[in-house]
Amino acid sequence: MTQFEKNLKKYAELLVAVGINVSEGHTVLLNIDVDQAPLARYITEAAYNRGAKKVVVQWSDDQISRLDFTHQTADTLADIPEYVVAESDYFIEEGASRISVRSTDPDLFNGIDSKKIAKRQKAMGIAMKKMREATQANRVSWLVAAAAGEKWAEKVFPHLETSEEQVAALWDAIFKSVHLYEDDPIAYWEHKVQILQNKAQQLNDEKFTALHYTAPGTDLLLGLPKNYRFEGAGSKNARGEIFVANMPTEEVFSAPDAHRVDGVVVSTKPLSYAGSILENMEFHFKDGKVVECSAEKGEEILKDLIALDEGASHLGEVALVPHSSPISQSGLTFFNTLFDENASNHLALGSAYAFNLEGGTEMTEAQLKEAGLNRSHTHVDFMIGSSEMNIDGIKEDGRRIPIFRNGEWAI
Ligand code: ZN
Ligand code: ZN
């Protein structure tokens, strides 16, 4: 076994142990690119070794996806057959744990008609409704993790000469971000989860009514619903088992009040969304709704996203990440939300997580909406943090408590 193979195997074991926390009798659903078959085999093996009953692999392929988007009409792309929905619903019924390993080229759909992308995104959002509701309420264990795809590595490390060097550098960055090089990565994660949960608890105890963001180009007042709950890594599924939904993760996050967001906010990192890159976005909010938005790159795709449904023009997530987070210190732009969101304060357009409200996972969709949690067929994070960002928490009596100063925790 080469050193890389040893690391890859260790990585697979970490995802299975900490990420979805596989134990006796579990069904595991793995979504992964064909180029990552060696990792898929290690994940499958690790899951069976921990007692999984069944591991099902769903393969994807960037090149075939691009061919599909090039040759199929928008209507064909938006026609999601019933068996696809039934399959997705079946795995939710089964209580299957889901691992999605992302390695996609951030520019995959560059040049593809944005209307096709928008139509497909919307159709998939509707078709996968049950799955989204189940994962957003943590009914099943789920994990988003990464693997170093060639095109993605080229985008992150353009100055390296060969594809081998680029891929090796990206793997190294991925391994570092999940603390794989620690003596005991599993113990390290237990400690990390505790630190993030303590921070979340502190924010919950303060019972803020709103957060006020200021930074160059940004002046945003963001209301929080009553009984909001910030969460850090480490969630509980319906069976009471602990899992970690994102690896890496550095954030603590909650749900904003979908109708109490006012002011202006600018993005500070590129966003890879639906195979396209969006840059230098600016959003104006009034009563929670985006009333005006622009982007220096990808504006049309951004406008299609905002128009996807009513909830797509409101916020569903508010996440805090210090500017000195390990991923931010790498100095890299990953063009991949799993990494870039964990290097920066961020917000998300679209659906809110039910568990971000006290008792939310027991509520119906209508009750969540009533409580101020945004509902939508989409959920897209965008990065707004920088070393110049200040955030105040506002209390019921109007008092202001510093939460962030110059991009770092102040609470
Ligand atoms: Zn987030
Ligand atoms: Zn998010």
Side-chain angles (χ1 to χ4, degrees), residues 251 253 317 319 341 346 381:
E251 63 177 338
F253 62 101
E317 180 186 330
E341 73 162 324
H346 57 275
D381 292 53

mmCIF file with all atom_site columns, all heavy atoms in Angstrom, residues 251 253 317 319 341 346 381, ligand 1:
data_model
loop_
_atom_site.group_PDB
_atom_site.id
_atom_site.type_symbol
_atom_site.label_atom_id
_atom_site.label_alt_id
_atom_site.label_comp_id
_atom_site.label_asym_id
_atom_site.label_entity_id
_atom_site.label_seq_id
_atom_site.pdbx_PDB_ins_code
_atom_site.Cartn_x
_atom_site.Cartn_y
_atom_site.Cartn_z
_atom_site.occupancy
_atom_site.B_iso_or_equiv
_atom_site.pdbx_formal_charge
_atom_site.auth_seq_id
_atom_site.auth_comp_id
_atom_site.auth_asym_id
_atom_site.auth_atom_id
_atom_site.pdbx_PDB_model_num
ATOM   1  N  N   . GLU A 1 251 ? -18.402 25.767 11.223 1.00 0.00 ? 251 GLU A N   1
ATOM   2  C  CA  . GLU A 1 251 ? -19.460 26.756 11.433 1.00 0.00 ? 251 GLU A CA  1
ATOM   3  C  C   . GLU A 1 251 ? -20.343 26.453 12.640 1.00 0.00 ? 251 GLU A C   1
ATOM   4  O  O   . GLU A 1 251 ? -20.494 25.309 13.040 1.00 0.00 ? 251 GLU A O   1
ATOM   5  C  CB  . GLU A 1 251 ? -20.359 26.816 10.185 1.00 0.00 ? 251 GLU A CB  1
ATOM   6  C  CG  . GLU A 1 251 ? -21.063 25.502 9.932  1.00 0.00 ? 251 GLU A CG  1
ATOM   7  C  CD  . GLU A 1 251 ? -22.024 25.503 8.742  1.00 0.00 ? 251 GLU A CD  1
ATOM   8  O  OE1 . GLU A 1 251 ? -22.482 26.584 8.339  1.00 0.00 ? 251 GLU A OE1 1
ATOM   9  O  OE2 . GLU A 1 251 ? -22.313 24.420 8.244  1.00 0.00 ? 251 GLU A OE2 1
ATOM   10 N  N   . PHE A 1 253 ? -24.417 27.616 13.188 1.00 0.00 ? 253 PHE A N   1
ATOM   11 C  CA  . PHE A 1 253 ? -25.404 28.227 12.296 1.00 0.00 ? 253 PHE A CA  1
ATOM   12 C  C   . PHE A 1 253 ? -26.803 28.102 12.857 1.00 0.00 ? 253 PHE A C   1
ATOM   13 O  O   . PHE A 1 253 ? -27.103 27.211 13.643 1.00 0.00 ? 253 PHE A O   1
ATOM   14 C  CB  . PHE A 1 253 ? -25.327 27.575 10.905 1.00 0.00 ? 253 PHE A CB  1
ATOM   15 C  CG  . PHE A 1 253 ? -25.635 26.101 10.915 1.00 0.00 ? 253 PHE A CG  1
ATOM   16 C  CD1 . PHE A 1 253 ? -26.881 25.634 10.523 1.00 0.00 ? 253 PHE A CD1 1
ATOM   17 C  CD2 . PHE A 1 253 ? -24.683 25.182 11.332 1.00 0.00 ? 253 PHE A CD2 1
ATOM   18 C  CE1 . PHE A 1 253 ? -27.174 24.269 10.543 1.00 0.00 ? 253 PHE A CE1 1
ATOM   19 C  CE2 . PHE A 1 253 ? -24.968 23.823 11.355 1.00 0.00 ? 253 PHE A CE2 1
ATOM   20 C  CZ  . PHE A 1 253 ? -26.216 23.374 10.957 1.00 0.00 ? 253 PHE A CZ  1
ATOM   21 N  N   . GLU A 1 317 ? -30.490 30.435 6.296  1.00 0.00 ? 317 GLU A N   1
ATOM   22 C  CA  . GLU A 1 317 ? -29.373 30.064 7.171  1.00 0.00 ? 317 GLU A CA  1
ATOM   23 C  C   . GLU A 1 317 ? -28.509 31.273 7.458  1.00 0.00 ? 317 GLU A C   1
ATOM   24 O  O   . GLU A 1 317 ? -28.287 32.100 6.580  1.00 0.00 ? 317 GLU A O   1
ATOM   25 C  CB  . GLU A 1 317 ? -28.510 28.972 6.505  1.00 0.00 ? 317 GLU A CB  1
ATOM   26 C  CG  . GLU A 1 317 ? -27.329 28.526 7.349  1.00 0.00 ? 317 GLU A CG  1
ATOM   27 C  CD  . GLU A 1 317 ? -26.386 27.550 6.616  1.00 0.00 ? 317 GLU A CD  1
ATOM   28 O  OE1 . GLU A 1 317 ? -26.856 26.794 5.756  1.00 0.00 ? 317 GLU A OE1 1
ATOM   29 O  OE2 . GLU A 1 317 ? -25.181 27.586 6.907  1.00 0.00 ? 317 GLU A OE2 1
ATOM   30 N  N   . ALA A 1 319 ? -24.737 31.671 9.294  1.00 0.00 ? 319 ALA A N   1
ATOM   31 C  CA  . ALA A 1 319 ? -23.650 30.858 9.853  1.00 0.00 ? 319 ALA A CA  1
ATOM   32 C  C   . ALA A 1 319 ? -22.443 31.714 10.183 1.00 0.00 ? 319 ALA A C   1
ATOM   33 O  O   . ALA A 1 319 ? -22.091 32.623 9.435  1.00 0.00 ? 319 ALA A O   1
ATOM   34 C  CB  . ALA A 1 319 ? -23.259 29.768 8.863  1.00 0.00 ? 319 ALA A CB  1
ATOM   35 N  N   . GLU A 1 341 ? -17.486 27.791 2.528  1.00 0.00 ? 341 GLU A N   1
ATOM   36 C  CA  . GLU A 1 341 ? -18.410 28.219 3.593  1.00 0.00 ? 341 GLU A CA  1
ATOM   37 C  C   . GLU A 1 341 ? -17.777 28.032 4.972  1.00 0.00 ? 341 GLU A C   1
ATOM   38 O  O   . GLU A 1 341 ? -18.168 28.678 5.932  1.00 0.00 ? 341 GLU A O   1
ATOM   39 C  CB  . GLU A 1 341 ? -19.749 27.457 3.523  1.00 0.00 ? 341 GLU A CB  1
ATOM   40 C  CG  . GLU A 1 341 ? -19.645 26.019 3.967  1.00 0.00 ? 341 GLU A CG  1
ATOM   41 C  CD  . GLU A 1 341 ? -20.977 25.376 4.310  1.00 0.00 ? 341 GLU A CD  1
ATOM   42 O  OE1 . GLU A 1 341 ? -21.850 26.052 4.854  1.00 0.00 ? 341 GLU A OE1 1
ATOM   43 O  OE2 . GLU A 1 341 ? -21.131 24.180 4.019  1.00 0.00 ? 341 GLU A OE2 1
ATOM   44 N  N   . HIS A 1 346 ? -21.283 33.120 6.517  1.00 0.00 ? 346 HIS A N   1
ATOM   45 C  CA  . HIS A 1 346 ? -22.109 32.985 5.316  1.00 0.00 ? 346 HIS A CA  1
ATOM   46 C  C   . HIS A 1 346 ? -23.590 33.002 5.639  1.00 0.00 ? 346 HIS A C   1
ATOM   47 O  O   . HIS A 1 346 ? -23.995 32.898 6.800  1.00 0.00 ? 346 HIS A O   1
ATOM   48 C  CB  . HIS A 1 346 ? -21.733 31.743 4.500  1.00 0.00 ? 346 HIS A CB  1
ATOM   49 C  CG  . HIS A 1 346 ? -21.823 30.449 5.258  1.00 0.00 ? 346 HIS A CG  1
ATOM   50 N  ND1 . HIS A 1 346 ? -20.820 29.960 6.042  1.00 0.00 ? 346 HIS A ND1 1
ATOM   51 C  CD2 . HIS A 1 346 ? -22.816 29.528 5.348  1.00 0.00 ? 346 HIS A CD2 1
ATOM   52 C  CE1 . HIS A 1 346 ? -21.172 28.808 6.575  1.00 0.00 ? 346 HIS A CE1 1
ATOM   53 N  NE2 . HIS A 1 346 ? -22.392 28.517 6.175  1.00 0.00 ? 346 HIS A NE2 1
ATOM   54 N  N   . ASP A 1 381 ? -25.759 28.338 -0.074 1.00 0.00 ? 381 ASP A N   1
ATOM   55 C  CA  . ASP A 1 381 ? -24.941 29.193 0.788  1.00 0.00 ? 381 ASP A CA  1
ATOM   56 C  C   . ASP A 1 381 ? -24.153 30.196 -0.052 1.00 0.00 ? 381 ASP A C   1
ATOM   57 O  O   . ASP A 1 381 ? -23.722 29.862 -1.152 1.00 0.00 ? 381 ASP A O   1
ATOM   58 C  CB  . ASP A 1 381 ? -23.910 28.346 1.550  1.00 0.00 ? 381 ASP A CB  1
ATOM   59 C  CG  . ASP A 1 381 ? -24.551 27.422 2.570  1.00 0.00 ? 381 ASP A CG  1
ATOM   60 O  OD1 . ASP A 1 381 ? -25.456 26.675 2.191  1.00 0.00 ? 381 ASP A OD1 1
ATOM   61 O  OD2 . ASP A 1 381 ? -24.129 27.460 3.728  1.00 0.00 ? 381 ASP A OD2 1
HETATM 62 ZN ZN  . ZN  B 2 .   ? -23.511 26.641 6.380  1.00 0.00 ? 1   ZN  B ZN  1
#
